[in-house]
Each structure stands twice: as structure tokens, then as C-alpha cells.
Amino acid sequence: MAGELGQQTVELGTVVRQAAEESYLALRDLVEKSRAADTEGEGGQQRSDTEKKIELLKFIDRTRQRMLRLHVLAKWCQQVPLVLYCQQLASTLSSHETCFTQTGDSLFFMHEGLQQARAPIFDVPSAIEVIHTGSYRRVPKCVEEIGTQNTLFQDERKPTLKKLSTLVRAKLLETMVPKEISEVSVTDGIANVQVDGEFKVLLTLGYRGHFSLWRILHMELLVGEKTGPIKLEETRRYVLGDDIERRMAVADNPFTVLYSILHELCISFVMDTVIRQTNVLRQGRWKEAIKSELISDSHTSAGQGGNNALVQLGQDGELDSSGFRIPGLKVNYWLDERNSGSAESNSSPFIKVEALQDMQIKCQHSSFVLDPLTDKEADLSLDLSCIDVEALIFKAIACNRHTRLLEIQRELKKNIQISRSPTDVVLKREEVHMNIMQKRMDRRDFENCCTNEVLQVRAYGQSYIHLGINIRSGGFLLQSPKNILPPSAILESEEALNKGSITPPEVFVSLKTRSILHLFAATGRFLGLKVYSQYQITLKIPKSILYGSDFMVMGIPWRANAYYLLMQLDNSLMPVFYLLEVHADGEDRSNADATSDAKEAVRFNRIDIGQMQIGLEYLSTLRSEVAFGKRPLSEFLLNIPSLQPAIISGGPSKRRKLPEDASSMQPGTTLTYGTILAEGNWCITENIYASVLLQVIKHCLLGIKYAQLTTQMNSLNIPYVEEVGLATPSSNLWLRLPFAPDGSWKHICLRLGKAGSMSWDVRINDPYYGALWKLHGGSTTAGWGSRVHIANTSEMDSHIYFDDDGVILTYNSVEVDSIQRLVSELQRLSNARVFACGMRRLVHVKVDEKLGQNQLATKMKLHSAKKCFRDRLSDQMTKTFRIDAVGLMNLWFSYGANAMPVVHFVVEWEAGKVGCTVRVSPDHLWPHTKFLEDFVNCNEVASLLDCIRLTSGPLLALGGAIRPAKMPAVPAVCSSAQKQNGVLLASGSSSTTVHTNSHDAQTSSMLSAAGRTVPGLVPSSLMPFDVSVVLRGPYWIRIIYRNKFSVDMRCFAGDQVWLQPATPPKGGPSIGGSLPCPQFRPFIMEHVAQGLNTLEPSFLNARHTGPHLNASANTLSGSQQVVTTPNPLSGGAPGVVKLTPSVGSPVAPSVSRAGNAMLPSSGFPSGTAGASAHLSSGTNLPVHMKGELNTAFIGLGDDGGYGGGWVPHAALKKVLRSILKYLGVLWLFAQFPDLLKDILGSVLKDNEGALLNLDQEQPALRFFVGGYVFAVSVHRVQLLLQVLNVKRFHHQQQQQQAPQSSTQEELTPSEIHEICDYFSRCVACEPYDASRIASFIMLLTLPIPVIQEFLKLIAWNKSLSQPHGDIATAERARAELCLEKHSRSFSGDYTETSLPSKSNIQHDRANNSVDFTVTFMLDHNLTPHMSSSGGAGWLPYCVSLRLRYTFGDNSHVAYLAMDGSHGGRACWSQHEDWEKCKQSVVKAVKAVNGSPATGETGQGRLQMVAQMTQKQLQLSLLHLRDGSLSAGSTRS
């Protein structure tokens, strides 16, 4: 009783409740006692406060002790499971200890007993044989001892076994065999007793010598696992067999005993195996997925994991079955019930495996489940021969899964939103594992979690959403193809379904909605739109237009505001679309991303798909679906009830009777997307939804176009009206622009275009463009004449075209500045139209009265004076101007007067440019067209034509005077391309400079070396950088020569221009204007007279001699030796006086101006561009012009170098050529003072050379070097040099003394003449170069013997240049002392001294040396043919040799470097050949140093070096040619 009382338990809550009640009752009693004492104390003695406090303190102490014990008890109760588990472990360890102790004791006593149980082994079989037979047959005859016989003889076996089999069968007939034994057979005296799946026993008779008793020969258990049957140990099998034999011997039904013992043993093994496999699974891959517990006899749980305290094993390893049954096993799976989705069950499903009262293994499931193969109640069982608990669990899970999915399928089929056809919800069983669900079924690395049965719910078309159940947790698994739903939506729905917060129909309605929205999103991304989900977007969408939490937004951002397409599905799963216009709340509206903050939909518009008609694209979609799904088209059409009335059998021309259900349809009813989607059957595929979205986006784009364009028009204050109230919806807007021509552009129509395209256009109905359309078609009655054609439109304006009604401007998209661009292009169209009409009116092109009415009234309003001026010039403009072509944005016209070449003009209004662009051909005629463009932009058409008429002739004459060296062909019509690179437009000023051409200095050097007479080139006296032209005004042209001299040419009416040097500002010529041009007015008047003498017959015999030269400027005091330089271009023409008087005779030379005035013109070739220099014989000059020319020669005095004069157009070209040559001479003369100061100051001492005087008005200067005075003066268009020997002059003053031989070296008169000739021929020649002047001055600073050496070299070079009757000689071999200094490419073994001097000749006075360069022109006949590319390909091959001449006592010439033209190696293409040539030249120079003295040979040392070098170069050319020829012959 005490033990039972100790085992009784009470709940902790009861203890707490009772403790609280007792404390409460004690406190109440204490209060009542205190009150009672106070009441009684009124008449008697009252209790003191101290007593009351003591009692209260006692109560508090008792209550505190009680609560503390209660607190300790509560803590102990929390550890009860752990204490029980520890007690169970202690009990198990105590039992093990007892077993080990007993086993040790038994083994000890057994060892003692074995010593006493020893006995000899007797040969019992032999004794039996001897007793029965009286003999022993196994013993050999020769052996007398008795032996043993183990087996029967062969002839004894068969009858013995037959007899034994008969006895066994007889015994079996007498014995009752249980029905559970499945097989009993006898073979060779052995009975085979077998129970399938449990055991197999071999029996015979003869237990302990009794043939009536059964003896067990062999026993085998059939219970097993996948690895095989259970094997009993040998000793255990013998013990078990002996025990069974013993029991069978005393039993009335031996086979019943045999079955009961072995069956119970097998059942025990089965349960042990089941428990063991379950424990292995719980510790293995089914860890935490299943739970197991043993079932006792009272079907109560006695423990977990197979550890039952009431089930003990015996010492022999068998179950001790005394007092209890074999325990069963309960296996729970799908433990996480929260993920099972079942709200009804309070426990996880389980499988119960136990042995029933009849000792049969029974497997039961906790709930009713169906077999997926038979759809009947599932039968769970174990195969005892191959026990597999995991397979049993799998089967139970499969049946439970099938049952649950079948219930969900029945529930979904009742929902009309989900199931509209039999194939919308399908329970599908796969024969193989589904890879589509294998990726997500195991989230805990469980390999066999895939399922073979899923519930398929149609999303749309042939796309399904799959629902499966996880065999590990029992949770639902949702899966779909990647293109149907995003993974986040699957996970979210799966989690909600497993938690039970929503039902499966609600889940699939949501997933179907999301799948359609996801399809719309994918289609939108494919179309290039931004897609936002409801979790990504922060737009403030009005709740009134939302149908739920599932929606999708597509963004179309547009700078200041944004447009979004809201997509959602209503309760019937019909798509609903809203176009939202969103404005950002912040200031920065450049980024209208939907994920940013503070955005609100200010306007929204629902797009009704029920109004979208289905066209041919829907039928094409169906045909594509048919081709893909292999279904007939009629099957698709018949599944759409709303489409059936639209199907006309027999073709579109036949009629059919409408069915009764379609009688309500009107005759003109058309099929829409809304009706198709409302059907909701399986043929609504993704293509249909994509087509719906495409149509919706098209309507959105149309609305966006309208909103954007109208917003831009409102911002620009452009009025517009809309077309509303029409039977057919219109998308046209009518607008008016402020600059539109009055009465012509009233109807400007902006057409938004078709839905789905961002293109739009603008049409203007104007008869002017109708006339252009007729002209384009070849009509001659369009009002433009017969010689006018349509001009091409630039690529930038290819979107603008015209037709018979007007002009159309087409745009492919709506930009932020589309209306502004439209206004700009309409402005350009208007300007081009007004200019074309003005040109047509001025050149007297007949215009239709209706066409010209009100077109030019506002644009051609001018002052009355301008009108009179235009009328006076209209006849002349008609003859000289002609319209060639007219276009939308351009007009081509030409100008040509008398014999002047035709000048072509193109006036074009280019895109993106304010105002027009004027292009001229020839393109070098106008330096820039700014002033012409200003006339056009200001609508001064008459002023434009007048400017062209007055400036074309002077500009053509100027272009002919400064023609480049290689004249390009003039195109017949002007090009629409930009000007050449030579045109440089100056920004910020009205003047612009243009350079005529651009070449490098190396080319100019080669031209100078080659004599500038290379075949194929037009000779030119100007370098490309000499002259630049600037337009200072419409009629004001400035000619600038090398930035030093400027001449203004002003154009006036009367066929004449005014030429005058540009007057410098107050700061002087250094900041602008021109240097003084002495005698400029007499110079141009002289040349005008010379030009007119060739034009007017009355001038042919007139000769006018200009004033004599100032004798004081050219005559030196005393007797002089004067040598005047000849004109290098005239070749000894008359007018050049060479004076070589005797010493002491005064000289006052006089040269005729009229004779020299014709010299410059001979050096200029006839031009191909510009006005002709000669007039026809019938040309008569104006009387006033003749009078002016005649009086111009009266008093031709200088006026400070800035005087000007009038020049007629007839003589302008020749005068300009002479002026440019004159300016070149002035520029060259202006270089002398600075060069003299630099060179003479750096080389000579103060008393050895200096500038004597400078006369800017003459102009002339004198300087002395050593004992010689050099006088340089400007004479017409050339520089003259005079030389005076001062020492000889002093010697002649002392003639009374006896003549004595001069010990000092002096220049002979011939040498002085050679210096003057060389100055005129090679120094002061064109093209003018300051480095040649510097080199010449440096040459004069050399000692006299060295100068004589150079003179010999110059004379030899001159002799080579003279043909002497053989022109080919000059072409074969020439040499020249190079005076020009330019950038070199000498080899690295020579470093040129970096001196600031411009001279190419370097005089090192300290070391008595001079560095110079000799250029050799190679023989053209000896140079191999080479394909030279680039600008220098036409030049002859040259070699420049840099030498150093050291003079004095030990004079010699040293090689410094060698350079070649055409890339540095001339015609030696191979580097090895060039090096060989260089080495040969070096040897030749060294050989000259070892040759006899120059006095003995009569040649100078420098001349000998040049001769040897020339010969060596010719030999190298011969070797090079012979080598190339031999190589060519070898190859051939």
C-alpha cells in the first residue's frame, strides 16, 4: 500500500491551487481574528499592535516557506523527464551488472564441472554392428583389431532410406499438422516442414533411439532483411533444436509445439528487426522525420526508440516472454503538423506494427487511406522474408498523399474560377521521378524526397501549376515552370498553404492570377518596358481601382513625369488595365523611377479590352497554336461560343442563320478580346494574353503621345483644337503657328498615328508644295520654268516630303523637345518657301496669280527707296541670275555676267542651325558667306543678289591671282558638303581669314631646288601661306600678305574697285592694318595703264615713262662700280640696264617704269579661274574712267605708303598679281634690318660690319661688311643689289703715288658681278624666304678666300643649270647651294648647333669653319621607277649633303651628314643600299682632301667636293639600277 501511495501522483497545478487557497484562508482567518479581538476588546482587554504584528509576521513566514517549497517543487517538475531517463539508465546498468555477475559465476562452476564430466569416447556404432551381425566388415583381413564404420555401404543406403521414408510418412499421417504450415514433404527419410516467410525444419525419426519420436536434423529461419535471412548461431541452434525435440517427445501434437515455438521466435525476430531498422532510420536519413514507440500489452506507450523497461532479454539472447506479449511498434511520420495543412487532426499520422492475439503481424494506418493503384483501401503489410520498414513507410506516405491530393482535387473542381474544363485540374501519376519537382522537394539534403504523383492545375493554355506533398514533412510542395511564376510567389503560397492560413482554392486562384500577371510582365520586358511588382513599387495608387493585393505595374518613364500601366485581374480572372500618369513630388523630375519615394498617380484611365476588336492577328495566333499542338483549327473555334456566330461556313461571301443564343447580337457586332477571355477555356494560350497586352500597350502609347505633345504645345503657347464627336474616333489635332504665312498655312494638322506606334506626323496643305510636286513630275507649267529641277533633300531632312496637296513631316518617336523641333523645322520650311518665292519674283519667273497671292505680301515689305532700286536692277538680274533647282529646304541658283565664269550658289536651311547656310562654287571664291547668309536671313533678297553681282568679279580676279600651285578642277555645280580644310571661319568677328592651300616647308625647299618647273604642275610665284583673304564687310575685301601687309579692296557699282593699303590703327601696324607700301598708288596706276594699253587700240602707241629713280639714293659718292640685278623671270628682257662704268666715273642710271611694268605679268601663267585679263575688241571703256586714268599720271607722288586708286574689273586680275608680287618684295626687304642686326652683331665686330642707313620711303638700305658696302633697293617687283669696294676706292684717291701691288685679297669685278647675279637669281627670288637672305648675309661675313671658294661652287652650279644646247643635261644632273633653313631629318651622328639664326650657313669664326649644305638633283634617267605616295611624289629625287669647310693653313672639307628626299633615303629603298651610298660619299669627300692644291688644278676645293660627290651619286645610281635589273632578270 505504501508503494502504491508512493507511486501516486498529483498535478502541479493542483498543488499550486491548494497552496494558494490555504494561504488565502489563513490570511482571512487572521483578519477575522483581528476584527473579533477588536470587537471584544471594546468591553474587555484589547490585543496590542505588537501581538498583531507578531501573528502577521508568523503568517508571512509560513506563507513564504510554503511558496519557497512550491517554487522548488516547480523547478523539480521541470526536470522530471530527465530524472526518469536517468533512473531508466540506472536500472538498465544495474540489470547489466547482475547479468555479468551471474554469467561469471556460471562460467566458474561450469569449468569445475567439466573436469568431472570427462569420459572416454566409445565406438558405439561398431559395437552395435558386432552385436547385430556378429562380425565387423570394416576391419581388413590382415588386421585383427576392431575398427569403426561411420556410413552405410552403397548397396545398403537405398533400401534403408526407402524404409525410413515409409516410416516417416506413416508417422506424419498419424500426427496432426497445423494449418499454418505451408509445406510438408518427405525425401530420403527426411520430412521437410516449412512455413513461408518464417522457418524451414528437416525432421526424421529416431530421437534418442526411439523411432516413434521426431528428431530435428536441420533448422533454418526464413525471416530476414534485404541482406538475407537471419542466421542462428551453431550452439544456439543446437540448444533450440534439443529443446524442441524434448518438447515434441512429450507432446501429443509435436508439430503444434514445433510451430508455436518457431513462430513465436520468428515473430520476435521480426519485431526486433522492425525496431532495429526503425532506430537506424531515426538515427540516419529519417532523423527528426519519424518518431517510434513500443506498444505494450495494454496498448500504452512504455518508451521511445525501442527501449522498453518492461521488455527484457533472457540470458540466452531470447525474448523472455513470460508474463507479457511481444511488444508492437508505432511509427509516426510527418511530425511537423503545422506544415501538413490539416487543421482537423491533432496528431501526426502513424503506422502501427504489432502481433495480434493470433500471433500474426498486423500493419495498420492511423487513418483511412486509398491505394493510388487501385483507388481502394490500402493494405499495409510486411514481407517477413525481406523486412523493409522504410518501404512500409513509403507506401503509407504514398497512400496518404494520394488520399489528400484526391480530396484537394475534388475541392478545386467545385471552384468555377479554377475548373472550367475537365482538364483544368488533373491528378497525374508519373512512372519516373519528376525532375521538375526534384529541385525543391528536399530542403534538408534528403535524396529520396521526390514524388511520383502530383496535382496539376491549369494556369493558362498548356501551362500548369503542380501541387505535391513532401514525403518527409508532409508539407505541400508547389512547383511551376520558370516562365509561369516567379520563385518568390511559389514559396509564399506554399508557406501560406502549409500554415493553413488560406485554403487550396484560394491559393490556386492567387497563383493563377499571378501567373497571368507574370506572363504580362515577361511580355512587357520583351517589349522593353520596366516591370514592377506590388512589393517593388512605391506609387500611391488609388484604392478605388484596386481589386486585390496581386497586381503588376509596367513603367514607361518620361523625364518630368512618368506613365505606368497597372495590370490586375478581377474576381472572374478577367484582366483589368489602367494607365496611370505619375508626377514626382520633389524638384528633381529627371528620374521618374517607380521605386523611388513620393510619387502619386495624378490621373488614371481604364483601358477597356472589351472594346478592342480582334483582327487577323488573332486567327494567325490560332493557326500557330494549331501547328504547335497538332489540333484542327475547327476544334479551337468550336470551343469559343462567342466566336461561333462569327464563323461563316462556306466562305466569307455566304450567309448563315444565327443560332438562337446569338439572336441578341446585332448585325454589325464584332468579336473582341474581352469576349474571348470571358470564355476562359483551355484554348486561351499565352499568345492570346500577349496579344491582349500588346493591344493595350498600343493604346497606352497613343495616350502617351497625346499627353506629351499637348503638354509641350501648352508650354510653348501653341493653340490647338481636337476632333471630337465623330462617328469614328479621331486622333488629329489642328494647330496654328505665329510665323505661318498669312492665308496659306491655316490648316496645320498633327496626326497622332496608329495605336502601338510612337510615330506621328504633321501635314500642311499648301499649293506651293503642290507646284513642287508637279515640277518633280516633269511638268513645265508649275510656275518655275523649264530649266528648274527639284533639288535633293539632305539625309537629316529625309523625314520631310511633299505631295500634290502639301508637305508632310513624319517623326518616329516623341522626344522631350518634339514640338520645339517641329516648330524649328516649320520655321525652316517657311523661310525656304519665302526665299524661293522672292527669288522667283526677282528673276522674273512667271508665277500663277493665285499661287503668288498673299504669299509675298508680308515678307517682301521694303522701303520705297529699296523698291525703286530693285526695279532699276531687275532687268540686269534677270539676265545674270538663273534659278537651277528648288527643294524643301534649299534653292540652287547661279550668276554669270559677260565672259565671267558662272558662279553657283546653294542656299540651304540645315537642321539644328539658326538661319541659312550659303555654299558657293568655286568654293574658294568667298572666304566666308556670313554676309550673304545675313541678307537671306533678313529676307533681303535684292541686297543678296546685288552683293553677289558686285563682289563676284573681284573675288574671281583675286582667286585667279592667288591660284594655288596645283589647281583643282572647278565643279560644274556646287557641292552640298562643307568647304575645304583651307577655309577658316573666325568666330566673334565679321571678318574671316582663308588660306589658299597648305604644304610643308620641305616641299617648298624641293621646289626651290628643282627650279619649280616640274612637269605636270602649274608654276606659281606664291607659297600657300603667303596670302590670306578676309571679308570685312559685304563689299569690303582685305588681302593680307604674310601678316605684314594688307590691301583693302572695296567693291562699288560701275565695274571698278578701290584698292588701298589698310591704314593701321592708332597703335601702329603691330596691332593691325598694314606696313607702309611706298609708291603704291603710282604702282597700281602704272599697271592699270599697262593693262588698258593692251585693251584699247588708242593706247597701243602710247608710251609713258615714269620718273627717274632718285639718284641720291642709288648713286654712291665718287666713282662706283654698279651692277644691277637682272629680272630672273624675264631672261634679259629690255628695260634692265647693266652699268659697269670705269672706276671714278659717276653713274646716274635711269630705268623706264613703263618698260619694267610689263615684267611681272610675264611670270604669271594664264589662269583657268577668274575674269579674263583681256576684253573683246568691241568693249568700250566709260568716258569718265578714261579721263581718270589719263589724269592719274599727273603728279604721281607718294602719300605715306597708304594711297589708293580705282582699278577696273578688266585689269583687276593683272593688277592684283603685280600687287602680290610687289608686296612680296616689300616683305622681303622688310626682313633685311633685323637679319642684318642679328647676323652681323653675332659674327662680326662693331667695326667689321653694320647697317649704314635705311630709307623706308624709297625703300632702300646700305650696309657694310669688311671693306665692301652693299646697297639694296626695291625697284618695281624686285630687289636690286649694288656692291662698292671701299678699299679700292681709297686706293684710287691716291693715284699720284706709284701703283703698288695689293697684298690684301679682294673680290674681282667678275666676282662682284657673280654675287649680284646670285642675289637676284637665288636669294631675292620667289618664293620669298627670309632664311635665304640670312644665309646670303652669313656668306658675306666669310673671309674673301672662302667667299671665292663658294663663288666657284656657285659658278659651277650655274654652269650645270645652263642647257648649252642640250636640254637633257639640266634634267640629268644639277646641284645647288642650299640657302633655305628648314626642319631636317639628318642621321643621328650629326647634331646641328642650336643657334637662333635663320641662316642655313653657320660661320664659326673662332674655329675658322663654316657649315653648309649642297643639294644634288639626281639624274632622272638613272633613278629607278618607284611608286611614291603623298604630296612629294611628283618631286625629283634629291640628296642633301651637309659639309664643314675648315679654312686656314690646313684647309679641308669634312662630311657631317647626308639626307635624302621622299622619306629620308631618296630612291634608295633598302637601308643597306643607302648606307653603302653614304659610305661612298664619305670616301669621296676624304679623297678630295688628299688631292692637289686648288691653285694647281684651277678649281676650288668645294667645287671638287661637289663634283666628286655628284659622280659618286651617279655611280651609286648605276649600281642600284644594275642591281635591280639583274634581280629582275633573275626573277624572270
Side-chain angles (χ1 to χ4, degrees), residues 91 178 401 550 583 590 978 1041 1090 1146 1194 1270 1323-1324 1377 1485:
S91 175
R401 180 183 60 240
D550 294 332
H583 289 273
S590 60
Q978 297 293 337
Y1041 188 88
Q1090 293 293 333
I1194 302 174
F1270 299 88
V1323 179
L1377 179 62
V1485 174

Side-chain angles (χ1 to χ4, degrees), residues 357-427:
Q357 296 295 335
D358 56 355
M359 294 301 294
Q360 297 296 326
I361 298 296
K362 183 67 174 179
C363 299
Q364 298 179 354
H365 195 269
S366 58
S367 61
F368 177 81
V369 291
L370 295 176
D371 193 338
L373 299 179
T374 61
D375 280 338
K376 296 181 180 180
E377 185 178 2
D379 182 15
L380 302 179
S381 61
L382 282 175
D383 184 4
L384 301 182
S385 61
C386 184
I387 302 172
D388 191 353
V389 178
E390 186 176 16
L392 178 65
I393 296 174
F394 273 128
K395 184 176 181 181
I397 291 176
C399 297
N400 196 353
R401 180 183 60 240
H402 174 74
T403 305
R404 294 179 64 184
L405 291 178
L406 191 61
E407 293 176 356
I408 296 175
Q409 181 188 19
R410 294 172 181 173
E411 187 177 358
L412 294 179
K413 283 183 174 294
K414 298 177 181 179
N415 193 312
I416 191 173
Q417 294 179 336
I418 301 175
S419 178
R420 299 185 181 182
S421 65
T423 58
D424 285 346
V425 182
V426 179
L427 185 60

Side-chain angles (χ1 to χ4, degrees), residues 244-300:
I244 294 175
E245 287 177 346
R246 186 178 62 254
R247 294 186 182 188
M248 291 178 65
V250 298
D252 295 335
N253 297 321
F255 283 95
T256 303
V257 173
L258 173 67
Y259 172 75
S260 61
I261 295 176
L262 292 181
H263 176 69
E264 185 176 357
L265 178 63
C266 290
I267 296 302
S268 300
F269 279 130
V270 168
M271 293 307 302
D272 287 343
T273 304
V274 170
I275 294 172
R276 179 172 48 81
Q277 286 187 1
T278 304
N279 292 334
V280 171
L281 292 177
R282 290 182 62 251
Q283 297 174 2
R285 61 182 182 178
W286 286 86
K287 185 178 181 180
E288 299 180 359
I290 60 175
K291 181 181 68 174
S292 64
E293 56 181 347
L294 294 179
I295 303 175
S296 62
D297 190 15
S298 60
H299 299 282
T300 60

Side-chain angles (χ1 to χ4, degrees), residues 940-1250:
E940 296 289 342
V941 183
S943 300
L944 169 69
L945 301 183
D946 182 65
C947 179
I948 293 174
R949 183 179 61 86
L950 296 182
T951 56
S952 295
L955 287 173
L956 284 171
L958 180 59
I962 60 174
R963 185 183 52 228
K966 195 172 184 180
M967 188 63 189
V970 179
V973 295
C974 76
S975 173
S976 62
Q978 297 293 337
K979 293 184 180 296
Q980 302 295 331
N981 295 331
V983 180
L984 302 176
L985 298 179
S987 60
S989 64
S990 61
S991 62
T992 306
T993 302
V994 55
H995 296 284
T996 56
N997 208 334
S998 59
H999 294 282
D1000 54 2
Q1002 182 72 22
T1003 305
S1004 64
S1005 175
M1006 293 302 178
L1007 277 171
S1008 177
R1012 293 169 300 279
T1013 57
V1014 180
L1017 292 177
V1018 180
S1020 175
S1021 61
L1022 297 174
M1023 291 301 292
F1025 49 81
D1026 287 347
V1027 182
S1028 58
V1029 182
V1030 173
L1031 287 182
R1032 302 298 300 273
Y1035 306 93
W1036 182 4
I1037 305 168
R1038 174 165 290 183
I1039 306 167
I1040 303 175
Y1041 188 88
R1042 296 197 179 184
N1043 297 327
K1044 294 294 183 181
F1045 297 90
S1046 302
V1047 177
D1048 288 339
M1049 181 170 61
R1050 297 177 182 268
C1051 304
F1052 296 94
D1055 294 334
Q1056 56 184 346
V1057 297
W1058 175 263
L1059 292 178
Q1060 180 182 1
T1063 304
K1066 294 180 180 181
S1070 61
I1071 61 174
S1074 172
L1075 293 174
C1077 300
Q1079 304 296 328
F1080 182 80
R1081 177 180 173 83
F1083 179 81
I1084 62 172
M1085 290 296 101
E1086 226 177 290
H1087 284 76
V1088 168
Q1090 293 293 333
L1092 293 180
N1093 285 339
T1094 61
L1095 301 174
E1096 192 68 26
S1098 60
F1099 281 51
L1100 293 178
N1101 297 325
R1103 295 276 185 174
H1104 179 75
T1105 304
H1108 297 285
L1109 292 175
N1110 191 353
S1112 63
N1114 293 307
T1115 305
L1116 300 177
S1117 60
S1119 179
Q1120 303 180 18
Q1121 180 182 3
V1122 181
V1123 178
T1124 306
T1125 57
N1127 189 348
L1129 300 177
S1130 61
V1136 177
V1137 181
K1138 297 183 180 180
L1139 301 176
T1140 312
S1142 59
V1143 178
S1145 61
V1147 178
S1150 176
V1151 183
S1152 173
R1153 287 183 179 267
N1156 258 337
M1158 297 301 297
L1159 295 178
S1161 63
S1162 62
F1164 284 80
S1166 59
T1168 58
S1172 176
H1174 300 277
L1175 295 178
S1176 61
S1177 59
T1179 303
N1180 296 322
L1181 293 175
V1183 177
H1184 70 280
M1185 183 182 297
K1186 293 181 181 180
E1188 181 184 356
L1189 293 176
N1190 293 332
T1191 58
F1193 295 99
I1194 302 174
L1196 289 178
D1198 197 6
D1199 50 3
Y1202 293 100
W1206 293 95
V1207 179
H1209 289 179
L1212 182 58
K1213 180 178 179 181
K1214 184 172 293 185
V1215 171
L1216 289 175
R1217 283 184 175 177
S1218 301
I1219 290 176
L1220 294 177
K1221 194 173 187 69
Y1222 171 68
L1223 294 178
V1225 174
L1226 291 179
W1227 178 86
L1228 191 62
F1229 178 81
Q1231 307 301 314
F1232 263 97
D1234 295 334
L1235 293 176
L1236 286 171
K1237 292 178 182 179
D1238 294 341
I1239 296 175
L1240 296 182
S1242 62
V1243 178
L1244 302 180
K1245 298 179 181 179
D1246 295 339
N1247 57 352
E1248 292 180 348

